[in-house]
């Protein structure tokens, strides 16, 4: 706008183009004397060639942006995860102390829009699909389900969840809960009664399950194991003890030492394969190896994999781990690709231990929902976990503070 109070330039925004996460704007500034608007208008006429040049520049930038389009089902990049955190922290939620991030992933676009995007023959005709993130945070004892628009840099939806259940626990919460029994006087007394060394005790928090209660709390039950004489932490459970932890207050709210049972023996519990026990393995003329060829029979571009007559998209998130999407196979009769899978991943694994005793009945785990396959992912070792011609992808997710965490060679 024009003002006589300040000696500034009049600004004409002659073109504005917004695509996905890129914003391109061409601004033409025309020096304007404060003395006369007429002089400004006269000079504007001389600027018309510049306007035409700017228009051409914007069209060029448009086609460059379109050619760099990412797949709408791509997982959030490290930069996008950190940007999502910045948007949340810069909102009203950022002023709340001790906010924790329990899930951050790309908000899955509408399937119809994705299929339109995939079927568009011309890149410039592809529909615009907003890049958004789905975020679950805990703040002031409430669970917020957010949709964050990365283009608008704002929270476009905030739903407070009031149903049964809670989001997955963070690693920090699980770690803190595992340490509580080790300083709890009643637990220390129980360990002493069993004649065990407290320094050889490790505790592991487990989820509770849900059995129809109307009022629930974020709680864990902690079970403990004895490491003495074994490197296998699971081999020697300390039976008879129940420890209930309220996660929000991070305190033990119930403790019961019901009975004392003998520990399983430590002998025969070392299942490691290492040089230390190499004498126990049969001798071979050469070390075993799987697929030593360096030939790679597929190509990867971004997250798209082409292998033989298959084309599919690979993603990763904290809950599901690896996700395969938009898989198609080339149909030789029709001479075109035929879609066979829109989106596929392990939905859940239910692990009921089926022991009705007090110390075991609650162990009915939902591994994906409660702990996350992605969070359980480990870095794959070349020629140990995978053959020598494997190609790897890193996995990214958000930690408890919302900052990006990397799992190298997760896929």
């Amino acid at each position: 706008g024009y003002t006589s109070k300040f000696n500034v330039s009049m600004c004409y925004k002659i073109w504005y183009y917004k695509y996905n996460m890129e914003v391109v704007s061409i601004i033409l500034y025309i020096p304007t004397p404060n003395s006369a608007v007429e002089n400004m208008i006269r000079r504007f006429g001389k600027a018309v060639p510049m306007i035409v040049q700017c228009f051409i520049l914007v069209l060029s930038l448009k086609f460059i942006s379109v050619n760099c389009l990412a797949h709408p089902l791509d997982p959030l990049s490290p930069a996008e995860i950190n940007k999502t955190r910045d948007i949340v922290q810069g909102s009203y939620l950022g002023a709340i102390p001790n906010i924790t991030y329990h899930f951050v992933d790309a908000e899955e676009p509408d399937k119809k829009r994705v299929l339109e995007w995939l079927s568009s023959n011309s890149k410039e005709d592809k529909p615009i699909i907003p890049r958004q993130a789905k975020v679950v945070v805990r703040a002031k004892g409430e669970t917020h389900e957010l949709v964050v628009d990365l283009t608008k840099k704002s929270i476009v939806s905030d739903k407070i969840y009031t149903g049964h259940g809670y989001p997955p626990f963070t690693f920090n919460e699980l770690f803190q809960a595992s340490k509580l029994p080790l300083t709890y006087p009643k637990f220390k007394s129980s360990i002493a009664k069993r004649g065990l060394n407290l320094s050889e005790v490790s505790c592991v928090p487990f989820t509770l399950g849900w059995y129809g209660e109307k009022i629930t709390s974020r709680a864990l039950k902690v079970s403990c194991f004895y490491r003495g004489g074994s490197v296998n932490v699971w081999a020697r459970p300390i039976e008879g003890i129940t420890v209930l932890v309220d996660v929000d207050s991070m305190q033990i709210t119930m403790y019961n030492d019901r009975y004392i049972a003998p520990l399983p023996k430590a002998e025969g519990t070392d299942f490691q394969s290492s040089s230390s026990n190499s004498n126990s393995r049969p001798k071979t003329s050469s070390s075993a190896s799987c697929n030593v060829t360096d030939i790679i029979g597929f190509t990867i571009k971004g997250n798209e994999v082409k292998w033989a007559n298959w084309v599919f998209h690979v993603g990763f998130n904290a809950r599901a781990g690896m996700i395969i999407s938009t898989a198609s196979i080339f149909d030789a009769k029709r001479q075109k690709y035929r879609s066979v899978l829109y989106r596929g991943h392990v939905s859940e694994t239910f692990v009921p231990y089926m022991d009705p005793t007090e110390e075991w009945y609650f162990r009915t785990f939902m591994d994906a929902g409660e702990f996350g396959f992605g969070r359980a992912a480990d870095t794959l070792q070349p020629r140990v976990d995978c053959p020598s011609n494997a190609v790897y992808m890193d996995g990214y997710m958000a930690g408890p503070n919302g900052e990006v965490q990397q799992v190298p060679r997760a896929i």
Side-chain angles (χ1 to χ4, degrees), residues 130-145:
R131 189 65 167 163
Q132 296 181 329
K134 181 178 181 179
V135 184
V136 179
V137 297
R138 290 275 299 172
K140 286 187 175 180
E142 294 181 321
T143 300
H144 293 256
E145 296 178 334

Side-chain angles (χ1 to χ4, degrees), residues 170-350:
T170 66
F171 173 80
N172 291 348
E173 291 170 333
L174 295 171
F175 180 78
Q176 292 177 46
S178 72
K179 298 300 181 183
L180 287 179
L182 302 179
T183 58
Y184 191 64
K186 292 182 179 181
F187 180 79
K188 294 166 72 173
S189 175
S190 295
I191 296 300
K193 281 195 306 182
R194 287 164 171 79
L196 303 178
N197 184 352
L198 185 64
S199 64
E200 296 282 359
V201 175
S202 294
C203 297
V204 180
F206 294 110
T207 51
L208 296 180
W210 181 64
Y211 305 95
E213 302 93 337
K214 292 185 178 180
I215 299 177
T216 59
S217 62
R218 298 184 72 230
L220 293 162
K221 282 188 176 179
V222 181
S223 299
C224 300
F225 302 81
Y226 197 61
R227 302 191 311 276
S230 176
V231 296
N232 186 346
V233 70
W234 307 103
R236 309 188 74 191
I238 303 172
E239 297 285 5
I241 299 175
T242 302
V243 183
L244 181 66
V245 174
D246 183 283
V247 176
D248 286 332
S249 64
M250 202 52 70
Q251 292 181 345
I252 294 175
T253 56
M254 187 275 287
Y255 182 84
N256 185 22
D257 186 352
R258 198 164 64 91
Y259 66 94
I260 297 177
L263 284 176
K265 293 180 180 180
E267 290 77 18
T269 61
D270 185 356
F271 302 114
Q272 294 185 108
S273 176
S274 65
S275 58
S276 61
N277 60 1
S278 59
N279 293 332
S280 63
R281 297 199 303 267
K283 301 293 183 180
T284 57
S285 58
S286 61
S287 59
S289 181
C290 174
N291 193 354
V292 295
T293 179
D294 292 328
I295 299 175
I296 299 174
F298 55 90
T299 59
I300 300 178
K301 184 178 180 181
N303 288 73
E304 185 182 70
V305 178
K306 292 185 177 181
W307 170 57
N309 53 349
W310 287 93
V311 178
F312 53 90
H313 179 274
V314 177
F316 180 91
N317 71 21
R319 186 189 191 281
M322 186 174 72
I323 303 169
I324 294 180
S325 304
T326 59
S328 298
I329 188 170
F330 187 76
D331 191 322
K333 291 184 178 180
R334 300 180 180 180
Q335 286 297 299
K336 66 178 182 179
Y337 280 94
R338 176 168 54 85
S339 176
V340 296
L341 174 72
Y342 178 72
R343 196 158 171 82
H345 57 81
V346 178
S347 178
E348 188 56 271
T349 58
F350 178 51

Side-chain angles (χ1 to χ4, degrees), residues 158 365 384:
D158 180 1
F365 306 124
V384 176

Side-chain angles (χ1 to χ4, degrees), residues 17-74:
Y17 177 75
K18 180 167 69 175
Y19 188 85
N20 204 8
M21 290 183 63
E22 301 299 325
V23 177
V24 180
S25 57
I26 303 299
I27 309 296
L28 176 64
Y29 293 94
I30 303 175
T32 304
N34 289 340
S35 57
V37 177
E38 291 80 1
N39 190 28
M40 174 205 68
I41 297 174
R42 177 177 56 80
R43 293 190 178 189
F44 177 74
K46 297 180 180 180
V48 171
M50 184 183 297
I51 295 175
V52 175
Q53 293 175 16
C54 292
F55 180 77
I56 295 173
L57 174 61
V58 170
L59 289 180
S60 300
L61 289 172
K62 172 182 177 180
F63 290 115
I64 291 173
S65 298
V66 170
N67 289 332
C68 296
L69 293 182
H71 194 290
L73 296 180
D74 277 354

